[in-house]
Amino acid sequence: MAAERDHPAAGGRVTPTVLLADDEPLVRTGLRALLEQQGVPVVGEAADGGEVLAAVRRTRPDVVLMDVRMPGVDGIEATRQVLAALADPPKILVVTTFDNDDYVHEALLAGASGFLLKRARKEEIAHAVRTVAAGESLLFPEAIRRLVIGRAAGGKHTRAAKTLTRREAEVLRLIATGLSNQDIAAALVVSLETVKTHVGHIFTKLGAGNRSQAVVIAYEAGVVKPGHLAGQ
């Protein structure tokens, strides 16, 4: 699974580029207009998930805005293909109509860095693109909690989760509340480098490429409970 990578878009030095993957031409046209109004260039489009990998190889975008529901190859499989095939893949933001979409849950498990609703404002879309291009996950703790409600804990991730140390599990629960590494360091009264080390170990043990994926896996494995939010 692809690991998170630093990107020159961090700090605003370089504007990230985007590939649009959606089977609806009007949606692609609308997203292109919204992004370009915000100064985010769109370098390519794909009308089906089966076209995404070739389009990514051709245009080398920083971020793919990926519709999860496409009639041919869906966004989940397209996400897996891109992350598995490329040594330095783009970040993937899945786009959906519903914030409790089962497709979104599976896409985050597949390694997408976050998700957006199609009704999001243009400023939110551009901010999300810049956020993930800079190597950060777009983590919405409450939205992820809604995605996992009603799903039984356990399954294939449980064994990997059992390899976490007590401190690593504690850090993972704090990640699930939306805290940054710096906030976690302050909460645990440890150095930022210590937290970064714990996060790296968590990603490795869970086979996660980013914070969103790690949190979904944590819920799947029962490390984090659906009621576990900041302040609770």
Side-chain angles (χ1 to χ4, degrees):
M1 186 60 63
E4 292 209 53
R5 60 187 169 109
D6 292 328
H7 191 276
R13 293 189 294 276
V14 176
T15 301
T17 58
V18 173
L19 173 77
L20 303 176
D22 196 294
D23 63 304
E24 293 287 345
L26 286 177
V27 172
R28 297 198 306 273
T29 299
L31 285 172
R32 178 183 284 272
L34 291 177
L35 288 166
E36 291 182 346
Q37 286 174 11
Q38 296 296 305
V40 178
V42 175
V43 296
E45 298 183 8
D48 182 79
E51 301 174 7
V52 173
L53 180 56
V56 166
R57 284 177 164 147
R58 184 173 64 252
T59 62
R60 299 304 299 169
D62 300 305
V63 178
V64 177
L65 284 184
M66 181 88 75
D67 184 21
V68 288
R69 293 176 178 267
M70 290 183 275
V73 175
D74 65 27
I76 302 166
E77 179 58 28
T79 295
R80 293 191 186 107
Q81 289 177 4
V82 169
L83 296 182
L86 302 176
D88 189 27
K91 301 299 183 182
I92 295 178
L93 275 173
V94 294
V95 184
T96 182
T97 304
F98 309 105
D99 60 0
N100 62 347
D101 196 334
D102 284 347
Y103 279 73
V104 173
H105 175 266
E106 294 303 318
L108 293 177
L109 274 178
S113 293
F115 74 94
L116 283 170
L117 296 178
K118 289 187 176 181
R119 63 177 180 269
R121 299 192 306 272
K122 60 185 179 182
E123 296 85 0
E124 294 173 331
I125 296 171
H127 173 72
V129 167
R130 293 187 176 105
T131 296
V132 297
E136 303 173 32
S137 290
L138 197 66
L139 180 61
F140 299 118
E142 176 62 25
I144 290 181
R145 186 188 71 82
R146 288 197 300 271
L147 286 176
V148 300
I149 283 179
R151 299 175 188 274
K156 65 180 180 180
H157 302 294
T158 303
R159 182 176 299 178
K162 287 180 179 178
T163 67
L164 297 175
T165 66
R166 180 175 299 178
R167 179 51 67 106
E168 288 165 357
E170 184 177 16
V171 168
L172 182 53
R173 293 185 188 103
L174 292 173
I175 290 173
T177 69
L179 294 184
S180 67
N181 287 350
Q182 189 168 353
D183 292 335
I184 293 171
L188 298 180
V189 196
V190 297
S191 72
L192 179 59
E193 288 305 313
T194 296
V195 173
K196 288 181 177 178
T197 297
H198 287 316
V199 172
H201 289 164
I202 290 166
F203 284 6
T204 298
K205 289 180 179 182
L206 297 184
N210 56 57
R211 296 167 94 84
S212 295
Q213 188 181 22
V215 170
V216 174
I217 290 172
Y219 277 114
E220 293 278 307
V223 176
V224 179
K225 307 296 183 184
H228 180 81
L229 290 172
Q232 290 188 341

